[in-house]
Amino acid sequence: MPERLTEMLMDTWTPLIILWITVLPSIYMAPMNQSQVLPSGSSTGLKRLTEEQRVLNRSKRGWVWNQMFVLEEFSGPEPILVGRLHTDLDPGSSKIKYILSGDGAGTIFVINDKTGDIHAMKRLDREEKAEYTLTAQAVDRDTNQPLEPPSEFIIKVQDINDNAPEFVNGPYHATVPEMSVVGTFVTKVTATDADDPVYGNSAKLVYSILEGQPYFSIEPHTAIIKTALPNMDREAKEEYFVVIQAKDMGGHMGGLSGTTTVTITLTDVNDNPPKFAQSLYHFSVMEDVALGEPIGRVKANDLDIGENAKSSYDIIEGDGMDIFEITTDAQTQDGIIRVRKPLDFETKKSYTLKVEAANVHVDPRFISGGPFKDTATVKIVVEDADEPPVFSSPTYLLEVHENAAINSVIGQVTAHDPDVSSSPIRFSIDRHTDLERQFNINAEDGKITLATPLDRETNMWHNITIVATETRNHSQVSRVPVAIKVLDVNDNAPEFASEHEAFLCENGKPGQVIQIVSAVDKDDPKNGHYFLYSLLPEMVNNPNFTIKKNEDNTLSILAKHSGFSRQKQEVYLLPIIISDSGNPPMSSTSTLTIRVCGCSSDGIVQSCNVEAYVLPIGLSMGALIAILACIILLLVIVVLFVTLRRHKNEPLIIKDDEDVRENIIRYDDEGGGEEDTEAFDIATLQNPDGINGFLPRKDIKPDLQFMPRQGLAPVPNGVDVDEFINVRLHEADNDPTAPPYDSIQIYGYEGRGSVAGSLSSLESSTSDSDQNFDYLSEWGPRFKRLGELYSVGESDKET
């Protein structure tokens, strides 16, 4: 420890200062002691002492000091002397007592109250506490009265180099692009030193690299790490482990040091072009492969990673540029070759393509290194496959007149086998598309014939599917849609578009248009419809109506005169002949009904019935029906109201003949015994004084005449209700004619599976002598007592 302390003292050039403070004999010598940079408190105290000296005219002096120093981490066999306090008031007779207070007084710092010597009792650490503020005072030892005002002073802990540098944020991780130039910034590290950065070089740090050369370098004072070699290639080495040292004392001998690690990773740049693994690829494909199906993959490897390794593929040359295409698989970066158009082995059996792979992202800094692309040759061989038949057309459109004859040919489809073997073809109709079987097809030549009559007005189009099958291989099947259009012929006569009924006003004028009618024709002529209208030959000279053809192919019905009357004739029928312009022309006769009606002066129809004349003015049949319905509804309401009123007025008191208490109620089950209160005459209980003897019951006429006992004579105003009830109860219990009546319930079914059979004695025999109960003794101990009882009964009978 002494050697270490000596070394620290030599490095920091720090003398051990022991401050000796004495009292000066003259006030003019005070600035000499204040030359150690007195604190403000001390100078104020001096000033105060000087003023007191002037007032009191005293020649005494107080002590003056600035600060003391003690070396940190100093330890020895005895406490360290920090300094000494002394006043000129102390003649050496030990009457002065020195007192110390403040930070650490009495624990860390102890003063000799006689000599004023201050000692440090513990090892001090500047990094824990750099300075201590204390207060010193001189008092009379006998009276403890202060001889001088208290003064503050500071004890500073002087630093030594006892803390090594530390990298608080280590270890570090950094990245730098590969192929960077020398001096490219990588990262910056920072170390801290707990020693005093102001005093000496204890906290002056210098950085250096212990491991990681010659790839990286570090600035000694800024700790900035930079690249030291050019063109470091990530593909050769991706990660570097660098050890950094920070040393205090400016890096000189004896300084303390700390280390940290920096892991430096080279990030990728696009400095490598894609390269095909092989220059020639061979693939084979069946000629019947589906469009879009992949037939092979090519791969261009790139030493780079991520975005820098992405490549795009393209077909740049070859005889199948329009037949094939190539796309990039985003996951594997493979080039996928697919079929764009159908292949035909009989037409072309092989293809040769030139495929190029190029980087998607190119770094301009490395363009001079060469093109970032590569090419390869792809040969594709088409293999023969048994193909289905091929129709001469992808679709067929046939036309047939709706009056075509049965079995007439309406069209033909053709197909052939594209294979070299050229198998014969058989044709058929998919009956799912011709459920009504209106068409047939010749299996050999594909001619389509009519099987049932056609009607264009019912179905104008028929869509069927023709199936072509190879006779040598029935699995090779092709289908083609055939649309059959039914052409129109003039086979429908025109008729009225709807059932017309015209209304003619009685006050109409001659030449007035009664109705405009139109006609329709289910046929569809090429030049459109043109109808001709005429009256029947016998109706040409009709005195009442005439017709007029309009330009829009409609017909107007006109009245020839006025004065039509409903009473004279209510309805007129006008037959009209409608003809079309077809070849041959078709015609039909439709009858128009004309009804004579009463109209207002404005020509608005009001009534067309003859009954309107006999009805009151302004009332029609509908109005009368509505009035009658209202009257009936009012009558129903009145009847309901009267019924409810009568129901409410009925008395709430029950008549004598309706009193249920005096009625005889028959039950088919057993009565309630003594709990049945219906067996008593309630009136008797209500008025016991009015009883004169026993009143016989009115329930039923008893078969046995029961002579009732004379009742007790009533005692006026002295009825014993308890005795009366007991007597009546005794009579009711002994009266066989009084309810409730005993009844016998007979059960004809007693369940199944009983070994013992029925235990009932009812209806089992005509007399008791027929009963035999000896079998009860065979049932076991549980029925032993029952058997004894019945056997005793039988023996008693015999006796």
Side-chain angles (χ1 to χ4, degrees), residues 87-128:
T87 177
D88 56 355
L89 299 179
D90 186 4
S93 59
S94 299
K95 293 184 177 182
I96 303 299
K97 182 180 180 181
Y98 298 97
I99 299 175
L100 186 67
S101 61
D103 294 341
T107 57
I108 300 176
F109 301 101
V110 178
I111 187 171
N112 190 322
D113 59 350
K114 294 181 180 180
T115 62
D117 293 342
I118 299 174
H119 290 84
M121 308 301 294
K122 298 181 179 180
R123 178 184 296 180
L124 302 179
D125 187 359
R126 189 199 66 83
E127 289 72 32
E128 182 179 348

mmCIF file of all heavy atoms in Angstrom, residues 87-128:
data_model
loop_
_atom_site.group_PDB
_atom_site.id
_atom_site.type_symbol
_atom_site.label_atom_id
_atom_site.label_comp_id
_atom_site.label_asym_id
_atom_site.label_seq_id
_atom_site.Cartn_x
_atom_site.Cartn_y
_atom_site.Cartn_z
ATOM 1 N N THR A 87 -5.676 29.967 17.937
ATOM 2 C CA THR A 87 -6.057 31.366 18.095
ATOM 3 C C THR A 87 -5.031 32.030 18.978
ATOM 4 O O THR A 87 -4.393 31.399 19.836
ATOM 5 C CB THR A 87 -7.458 31.469 18.698
ATOM 6 O OG1 THR A 87 -7.769 32.845 18.909
ATOM 7 C CG2 THR A 87 -7.579 30.731 20.019
ATOM 8 N N ASP A 88 -4.839 33.379 18.805
ATOM 9 C CA ASP A 88 -3.876 34.137 19.607
ATOM 10 C C ASP A 88 -4.383 34.379 21.012
ATOM 11 O O ASP A 88 -3.657 34.883 21.868
ATOM 12 C CB ASP A 88 -3.546 35.461 18.926
ATOM 13 C CG ASP A 88 -4.798 36.272 18.665
ATOM 14 O OD1 ASP A 88 -5.929 35.752 18.932
ATOM 15 O OD2 ASP A 88 -4.694 37.397 18.153
ATOM 16 N N LEU A 89 -5.673 33.997 21.227
ATOM 17 C CA LEU A 89 -6.193 34.123 22.589
ATOM 18 C C LEU A 89 -5.742 32.986 23.470
ATOM 19 O O LEU A 89 -6.014 32.974 24.679
ATOM 20 C CB LEU A 89 -7.734 34.168 22.557
ATOM 21 C CG LEU A 89 -8.354 35.338 21.788
ATOM 22 C CD1 LEU A 89 -9.869 35.230 21.833
ATOM 23 C CD2 LEU A 89 -7.911 36.662 22.394
ATOM 24 N N ASP A 90 -5.080 32.010 22.868
ATOM 25 C CA ASP A 90 -4.637 30.853 23.625
ATOM 26 C C ASP A 90 -3.212 31.100 24.086
ATOM 27 O O ASP A 90 -2.265 31.056 23.278
ATOM 28 C CB ASP A 90 -4.701 29.604 22.747
ATOM 29 C CG ASP A 90 -4.397 28.335 23.531
ATOM 30 O OD1 ASP A 90 -4.223 28.422 24.753
ATOM 31 O OD2 ASP A 90 -4.372 27.251 22.893
ATOM 32 N N PRO A 91 -3.023 31.392 25.387
ATOM 33 C CA PRO A 91 -1.659 31.637 25.887
ATOM 34 C C PRO A 91 -0.889 30.359 26.163
ATOM 35 O O PRO A 91 0.257 30.402 26.590
ATOM 36 C CB PRO A 91 -1.911 32.412 27.177
ATOM 37 C CG PRO A 91 -3.219 31.872 27.651
ATOM 38 C CD PRO A 91 -4.033 31.527 26.460
ATOM 39 N N GLY A 92 -1.543 29.266 25.946
ATOM 40 C CA GLY A 92 -0.883 27.994 26.216
ATOM 41 C C GLY A 92 -1.202 27.438 27.574
ATOM 42 O O GLY A 92 -0.552 26.492 28.004
ATOM 43 N N SER A 93 -2.186 27.994 28.221
ATOM 44 C CA SER A 93 -2.540 27.536 29.556
ATOM 45 C C SER A 93 -3.678 26.523 29.533
ATOM 46 O O SER A 93 -4.235 26.193 30.570
ATOM 47 C CB SER A 93 -2.932 28.747 30.433
ATOM 48 O OG SER A 93 -4.038 29.426 29.821
ATOM 49 N N SER A 94 -4.057 26.099 28.348
ATOM 50 C CA SER A 94 -5.105 25.085 28.152
ATOM 51 C C SER A 94 -6.450 25.542 28.655
ATOM 52 O O SER A 94 -7.270 24.757 29.128
ATOM 53 C CB SER A 94 -4.725 23.760 28.877
ATOM 54 O OG SER A 94 -3.527 23.258 28.356
ATOM 55 N N LYS A 95 -6.702 26.866 28.587
ATOM 56 C CA LYS A 95 -8.017 27.370 28.932
ATOM 57 C C LYS A 95 -8.921 27.523 27.714
ATOM 58 O O LYS A 95 -10.096 27.841 27.856
ATOM 59 C CB LYS A 95 -7.878 28.722 29.648
ATOM 60 C CG LYS A 95 -7.221 28.615 31.006
ATOM 61 C CD LYS A 95 -7.206 29.988 31.703
ATOM 62 C CE LYS A 95 -6.603 29.870 33.118
ATOM 63 N NZ LYS A 95 -6.630 31.190 33.813
ATOM 64 N N ILE A 96 -8.346 27.305 26.574
ATOM 65 C CA ILE A 96 -9.123 27.423 25.338
ATOM 66 C C ILE A 96 -9.561 26.026 24.909
ATOM 67 O O ILE A 96 -8.758 25.076 24.938
ATOM 68 C CB ILE A 96 -8.294 28.088 24.231
ATOM 69 C CG1 ILE A 96 -7.801 29.460 24.691
ATOM 70 C CG2 ILE A 96 -9.139 28.219 22.952
ATOM 71 C CD1 ILE A 96 -8.913 30.432 25.014
ATOM 72 N N LYS A 97 -10.803 25.945 24.484
ATOM 73 C CA LYS A 97 -11.365 24.669 24.009
ATOM 74 C C LYS A 97 -11.845 24.839 22.571
ATOM 75 O O LYS A 97 -12.594 25.763 22.276
ATOM 76 C CB LYS A 97 -12.534 24.237 24.892
ATOM 77 C CG LYS A 97 -13.144 22.900 24.480
ATOM 78 C CD LYS A 97 -14.285 22.547 25.413
ATOM 79 C CE LYS A 97 -14.904 21.229 25.024
ATOM 80 N NZ LYS A 97 -16.026 20.882 25.921
ATOM 81 N N TYR A 98 -11.360 23.977 21.700
ATOM 82 C CA TYR A 98 -11.750 24.035 20.284
ATOM 83 C C TYR A 98 -12.906 23.062 20.012
ATOM 84 O O TYR A 98 -12.847 21.898 20.423
ATOM 85 C CB TYR A 98 -10.560 23.697 19.381
ATOM 86 C CG TYR A 98 -9.408 24.692 19.527
ATOM 87 C CD1 TYR A 98 -8.323 24.404 20.364
ATOM 88 C CD2 TYR A 98 -9.427 25.882 18.824
ATOM 89 C CE1 TYR A 98 -7.284 25.298 20.499
ATOM 90 C CE2 TYR A 98 -8.383 26.784 18.954
ATOM 91 C CZ TYR A 98 -7.319 26.499 19.794
ATOM 92 O OH TYR A 98 -6.304 27.374 19.931
ATOM 93 N N ILE A 99 -13.897 23.588 19.303
ATOM 94 C CA ILE A 99 -15.115 22.800 18.975
ATOM 95 C C ILE A 99 -15.261 22.748 17.451
ATOM 96 O O ILE A 99 -15.105 23.763 16.766
ATOM 97 C CB ILE A 99 -16.369 23.423 19.617
ATOM 98 C CG1 ILE A 99 -16.234 23.452 21.136
ATOM 99 C CG2 ILE A 99 -17.629 22.633 19.205
ATOM 100 C CD1 ILE A 99 -17.381 24.155 21.830
ATOM 101 N N LEU A 100 -15.573 21.557 16.948
ATOM 102 C CA LEU A 100 -15.752 21.346 15.496
ATOM 103 C C LEU A 100 -17.160 20.784 15.232
ATOM 104 O O LEU A 100 -17.596 19.840 15.906
ATOM 105 C CB LEU A 100 -14.694 20.361 14.970
ATOM 106 C CG LEU A 100 -14.666 20.154 13.451
ATOM 107 C CD1 LEU A 100 -14.219 21.461 12.766
ATOM 108 C CD2 LEU A 100 -13.694 19.026 13.098
ATOM 109 N N SER A 101 -17.847 21.344 14.275
ATOM 110 C CA SER A 101 -19.201 20.880 13.886
ATOM 111 C C SER A 101 -19.338 20.956 12.360
ATOM 112 O O SER A 101 -18.554 21.621 11.693
ATOM 113 C CB SER A 101 -20.288 21.730 14.568
ATOM 114 O OG SER A 101 -20.180 23.104 14.177
ATOM 115 N N GLY A 102 -20.360 20.248 11.842
ATOM 116 C CA GLY A 102 -20.577 20.262 10.388
ATOM 117 C C GLY A 102 -20.537 18.854 9.806
ATOM 118 O O GLY A 102 -20.765 17.851 10.508
ATOM 119 N N ASP A 103 -20.215 18.770 8.513
ATOM 120 C CA ASP A 103 -20.234 17.490 7.807
ATOM 121 C C ASP A 103 -19.176 16.555 8.363
ATOM 122 O O ASP A 103 -17.974 16.846 8.277
ATOM 123 C CB ASP A 103 -19.969 17.689 6.310
ATOM 124 C CG ASP A 103 -21.092 18.447 5.637
ATOM 125 O OD1 ASP A 103 -22.193 18.495 6.211
ATOM 126 O OD2 ASP A 103 -20.864 18.986 4.532
ATOM 127 N N GLY A 104 -19.587 15.444 8.917
ATOM 128 C CA GLY A 104 -18.664 14.417 9.389
ATOM 129 C C GLY A 104 -17.959 14.768 10.670
ATOM 130 O O GLY A 104 -17.019 14.050 11.043
ATOM 131 N N ALA A 105 -18.351 15.844 11.348
ATOM 132 C CA ALA A 105 -17.689 16.213 12.596
ATOM 133 C C ALA A 105 -18.013 15.174 13.661
ATOM 134 O O ALA A 105 -19.173 14.802 13.859
ATOM 135 C CB ALA A 105 -18.144 17.591 13.047
ATOM 136 N N GLY A 106 -16.974 14.693 14.322
ATOM 137 C CA GLY A 106 -17.140 13.710 15.371
ATOM 138 C C GLY A 106 -17.093 12.284 14.882
ATOM 139 O O GLY A 106 -16.886 11.370 15.676
ATOM 140 N N THR A 107 -17.340 12.062 13.590
ATOM 141 C CA THR A 107 -17.295 10.700 13.053
ATOM 142 C C THR A 107 -16.145 10.539 12.085
ATOM 143 O O THR A 107 -15.298 9.654 12.241
ATOM 144 C CB THR A 107 -18.625 10.373 12.361
ATOM 145 O OG1 THR A 107 -18.870 11.338 11.341
ATOM 146 C CG2 THR A 107 -19.782 10.379 13.354
ATOM 147 N N ILE A 108 -16.171 11.395 11.042
ATOM 148 C CA ILE A 108 -15.074 11.334 10.069
ATOM 149 C C ILE A 108 -13.905 12.212 10.521
ATOM 150 O O ILE A 108 -12.733 11.792 10.473
ATOM 151 C CB ILE A 108 -15.584 11.757 8.687
ATOM 152 C CG1 ILE A 108 -16.711 10.813 8.234
ATOM 153 C CG2 ILE A 108 -14.456 11.744 7.669
ATOM 154 C CD1 ILE A 108 -17.328 11.216 6.911
ATOM 155 N N PHE A 109 -14.237 13.424 10.952
ATOM 156 C CA PHE A 109 -13.201 14.372 11.392
ATOM 157 C C PHE A 109 -13.348 14.600 12.896
ATOM 158 O O PHE A 109 -14.469 14.842 13.387
ATOM 159 C CB PHE A 109 -13.330 15.694 10.643
ATOM 160 C CG PHE A 109 -13.213 15.549 9.147
ATOM 161 C CD1 PHE A 109 -14.343 15.556 8.350
ATOM 162 C CD2 PHE A 109 -11.971 15.371 8.549
ATOM 163 C CE1 PHE A 109 -14.236 15.413 6.986
ATOM 164 C CE2 PHE A 109 -11.870 15.222 7.185
ATOM 165 C CZ PHE A 109 -12.998 15.232 6.396
ATOM 166 N N VAL A 110 -12.225 14.502 13.598
ATOM 167 C CA VAL A 110 -12.181 14.697 15.053
ATOM 168 C C VAL A 110 -11.113 15.758 15.355
ATOM 169 O O VAL A 110 -10.024 15.746 14.773
ATOM 170 C CB VAL A 110 -11.852 13.384 15.784
ATOM 171 C CG1 VAL A 110 -11.755 13.619 17.286
ATOM 172 C CG2 VAL A 110 -12.916 12.342 15.492
ATOM 173 N N ILE A 111 -11.469 16.704 16.245
ATOM 174 C CA ILE A 111 -10.532 17.781 16.611
ATOM 175 C C ILE A 111 -10.053 17.568 18.050
ATOM 176 O O ILE A 111 -10.815 17.120 18.919
ATOM 177 C CB ILE A 111 -11.213 19.162 16.438
ATOM 178 C CG1 ILE A 111 -10.170 20.270 16.642
ATOM 179 C CG2 ILE A 111 -12.411 19.321 17.343
ATOM 180 C CD1 ILE A 111 -10.704 21.648 16.281
ATOM 181 N N ASN A 112 -8.785 17.827 18.254
ATOM 182 C CA ASN A 112 -8.245 17.836 19.608
ATOM 183 C C ASN A 112 -8.622 19.155 20.240
ATOM 184 O O ASN A 112 -8.195 20.233 19.790
ATOM 185 C CB ASN A 112 -6.721 17.660 19.569
ATOM 186 C CG ASN A 112 -6.134 17.431 20.952
ATOM 187 O OD1 ASN A 112 -6.556 18.010 21.936
ATOM 188 N ND2 ASN A 112 -5.120 16.587 20.995
ATOM 189 N N ASP A 113 -9.470 19.103 21.288
ATOM 190 C CA ASP A 113 -10.005 20.360 21.825
ATOM 191 C C ASP A 113 -8.943 21.186 22.521
ATOM 192 O O ASP A 113 -9.157 22.367 22.821
ATOM 193 C CB ASP A 113 -11.159 20.062 22.776
ATOM 194 C CG ASP A 113 -10.742 19.183 23.937
ATOM 195 O OD1 ASP A 113 -9.608 18.662 23.892
ATOM 196 O OD2 ASP A 113 -11.551 18.976 24.857
ATOM 197 N N LYS A 114 -7.784 20.625 22.739
ATOM 198 C CA LYS A 114 -6.720 21.405 23.384
ATOM 199 C C LYS A 114 -5.770 22.004 22.372
ATOM 200 O O LYS A 114 -5.451 23.186 22.420
ATOM 201 C CB LYS A 114 -5.942 20.518 24.352
ATOM 202 C CG LYS A 114 -6.778 20.046 25.543
ATOM 203 C CD LYS A 114 -5.931 19.186 26.482
ATOM 204 C CE LYS A 114 -6.765 18.710 27.688
ATOM 205 N NZ LYS A 114 -5.959 17.878 28.616
ATOM 206 N N THR A 115 -5.347 21.166 21.426
ATOM 207 C CA THR A 115 -4.336 21.640 20.480
ATOM 208 C C THR A 115 -4.956 22.162 19.184
ATOM 209 O O THR A 115 -4.290 22.862 18.426
ATOM 210 C CB THR A 115 -3.377 20.509 20.132
ATOM 211 O OG1 THR A 115 -4.111 19.456 19.495
ATOM 212 C CG2 THR A 115 -2.704 19.969 21.389
ATOM 213 N N GLY A 116 -6.195 21.803 18.905
ATOM 214 C CA GLY A 116 -6.829 22.242 17.652
ATOM 215 C C GLY A 116 -6.471 21.383 16.465
ATOM 216 O O GLY A 116 -6.783 21.741 15.324
ATOM 217 N N ASP A 117 -5.776 20.240 16.693
ATOM 218 C CA ASP A 117 -5.413 19.365 15.571
ATOM 219 C C ASP A 117 -6.667 18.620 15.065
ATOM 220 O O ASP A 117 -7.453 18.076 15.861
ATOM 221 C CB ASP A 117 -4.365 18.354 16.010
ATOM 222 C CG ASP A 117 -3.040 19.035 16.338
ATOM 223 O OD1 ASP A 117 -2.858 20.182 15.894
ATOM 224 O OD2 ASP A 117 -2.236 18.409 17.054
ATOM 225 N N ILE A 118 -6.854 18.619 13.709
ATOM 226 C CA ILE A 118 -7.985 17.920 13.070
ATOM 227 C C ILE A 118 -7.442 16.667 12.419
ATOM 228 O O ILE A 118 -6.522 16.724 11.600
ATOM 229 C CB ILE A 118 -8.678 18.813 12.034
ATOM 230 C CG1 ILE A 118 -9.224 20.067 12.713
ATOM 231 C CG2 ILE A 118 -9.802 18.058 11.333
ATOM 232 C CD1 ILE A 118 -9.806 21.070 11.743
ATOM 233 N N HIS A 119 -8.047 15.497 12.731
ATOM 234 C CA HIS A 119 -7.628 14.227 12.173
ATOM 235 C C HIS A 119 -8.788 13.583 11.402
ATOM 236 O O HIS A 119 -9.955 13.730 11.782
ATOM 237 C CB HIS A 119 -7.170 13.264 13.278
ATOM 238 C CG HIS A 119 -5.883 13.677 13.917
ATOM 239 N ND1 HIS A 119 -5.808 14.614 14.967
ATOM 240 C CD2 HIS A 119 -4.594 13.271 13.680
ATOM 241 C CE1 HIS A 119 -4.568 14.769 15.327
ATOM 242 N NE2 HIS A 119 -3.784 13.959 14.561
ATOM 243 N N ALA A 120 -8.469 12.906 10.331
ATOM 244 C CA ALA A 120 -9.445 12.098 9.570
ATOM 245 C C ALA A 120 -9.401 10.689 10.117
ATOM 246 O O ALA A 120 -8.366 10.025 10.049
ATOM 247 C CB ALA A 120 -9.131 12.110 8.083
ATOM 248 N N MET A 121 -10.548 10.210 10.594
ATOM 249 C CA MET A 121 -10.595 8.920 11.257
ATOM 250 C C MET A 121 -10.884 7.773 10.288
ATOM 251 O O MET A 121 -10.670 6.615 10.646
ATOM 252 C CB MET A 121 -11.677 8.932 12.363
ATOM 253 C CG MET A 121 -11.524 10.092 13.316
ATOM 254 S SD MET A 121 -9.928 10.129 14.173
ATOM 255 C CE MET A 121 -10.067 8.656 15.156
ATOM 256 N N LYS A 122 -11.394 8.045 9.083
ATOM 257 C CA LYS A 122 -11.759 7.001 8.129
ATOM 258 C C LYS A 122 -11.113 7.265 6.787
ATOM 259 O O LYS A 122 -10.709 8.385 6.492
ATOM 260 C CB LYS A 122 -13.282 6.941 7.939
ATOM 261 C CG LYS A 122 -14.047 6.590 9.192
ATOM 262 C CD LYS A 122 -15.558 6.545 8.887
ATOM 263 C CE LYS A 122 -16.350 6.179 10.132
ATOM 264 N NZ LYS A 122 -17.808 6.141 9.844
ATOM 265 N N ARG A 123 -11.019 6.218 5.976
ATOM 266 C CA ARG A 123 -10.546 6.358 4.595
ATOM 267 C C ARG A 123 -11.626 7.072 3.789
ATOM 268 O O ARG A 123 -12.796 6.687 3.819
ATOM 269 C CB ARG A 123 -10.245 5.001 3.994
ATOM 270 C CG ARG A 123 -9.799 5.084 2.542
ATOM 271 C CD ARG A 123 -9.598 3.720 1.946
ATOM 272 N NE ARG A 123 -8.526 2.989 2.603
ATOM 273 C CZ ARG A 123 -8.140 1.761 2.268
ATOM 274 N NH1 ARG A 123 -8.776 1.121 1.320
ATOM 275 N NH2 ARG A 123 -7.143 1.169 2.896
ATOM 276 N N LEU A 124 -11.256 8.086 3.065
ATOM 277 C CA LEU A 124 -12.213 8.912 2.308
ATOM 278 C C LEU A 124 -12.165 8.545 0.829
ATOM 279 O O LEU A 124 -11.126 8.127 0.315
ATOM 280 C CB LEU A 124 -11.883 10.399 2.494
ATOM 281 C CG LEU A 124 -11.883 10.900 3.950
ATOM 282 C CD1 LEU A 124 -11.526 12.373 4.007
ATOM 283 C CD2 LEU A 124 -13.221 10.656 4.612
ATOM 284 N N ASP A 125 -13.322 8.728 0.216
ATOM 285 C CA ASP A 125 -13.443 8.440 -1.221
ATOM 286 C C ASP A 125 -14.012 9.675 -1.902
ATOM 287 O O ASP A 125 -15.148 10.093 -1.614
ATOM 288 C CB ASP A 125 -14.365 7.236 -1.453
ATOM 289 C CG ASP A 125 -14.376 6.795 -2.913
ATOM 290 O OD1 ASP A 125 -13.689 7.438 -3.736
ATOM 291 O OD2 ASP A 125 -15.071 5.806 -3.233
ATOM 292 N N ARG A 126 -13.251 10.273 -2.799
ATOM 293 C CA ARG A 126 -13.697 11.503 -3.456
ATOM 294 C C ARG A 126 -14.919 11.258 -4.327
ATOM 295 O O ARG A 126 -15.785 12.124 -4.458
ATOM 296 C CB ARG A 126 -12.561 12.074 -4.310
ATOM 297 C CG ARG A 126 -12.876 13.473 -4.860
ATOM 298 C CD ARG A 126 -11.997 13.808 -6.040
ATOM 299 N NE ARG A 126 -12.321 12.925 -7.164
ATOM 300 C CZ ARG A 126 -13.333 13.175 -7.989
ATOM 301 N NH1 ARG A 126 -14.084 14.229 -7.845
ATOM 302 N NH2 ARG A 126 -13.582 12.334 -8.971
ATOM 303 N N GLU A 127 -14.975 10.077 -4.925
ATOM 304 C CA GLU A 127 -16.117 9.795 -5.789
ATOM 305 C C GLU A 127 -17.428 9.659 -5.001
ATOM 306 O O GLU A 127 -18.510 9.833 -5.553
ATOM 307 C CB GLU A 127 -15.871 8.516 -6.596
ATOM 308 C CG GLU A 127 -14.823 8.664 -7.689
ATOM 309 C CD GLU A 127 -13.409 8.774 -7.144
ATOM 310 O OE1 GLU A 127 -13.146 8.168 -6.088
ATOM 311 O OE2 GLU A 127 -12.578 9.463 -7.764
ATOM 312 N N GLU A 128 -17.277 9.365 -3.705
ATOM 313 C CA GLU A 128 -18.467 9.303 -2.851
ATOM 314 C C GLU A 128 -18.837 10.684 -2.342
ATOM 315 O O GLU A 128 -20.000 11.064 -2.349
ATOM 316 C CB GLU A 128 -18.215 8.341 -1.702
ATOM 317 C CG GLU A 128 -19.413 8.169 -0.763
ATOM 318 C CD GLU A 128 -19.124 7.192 0.343
ATOM 319 O OE1 GLU A 128 -18.091 6.489 0.259
ATOM 320 O OE2 GLU A 128 -19.928 7.115 1.297
#
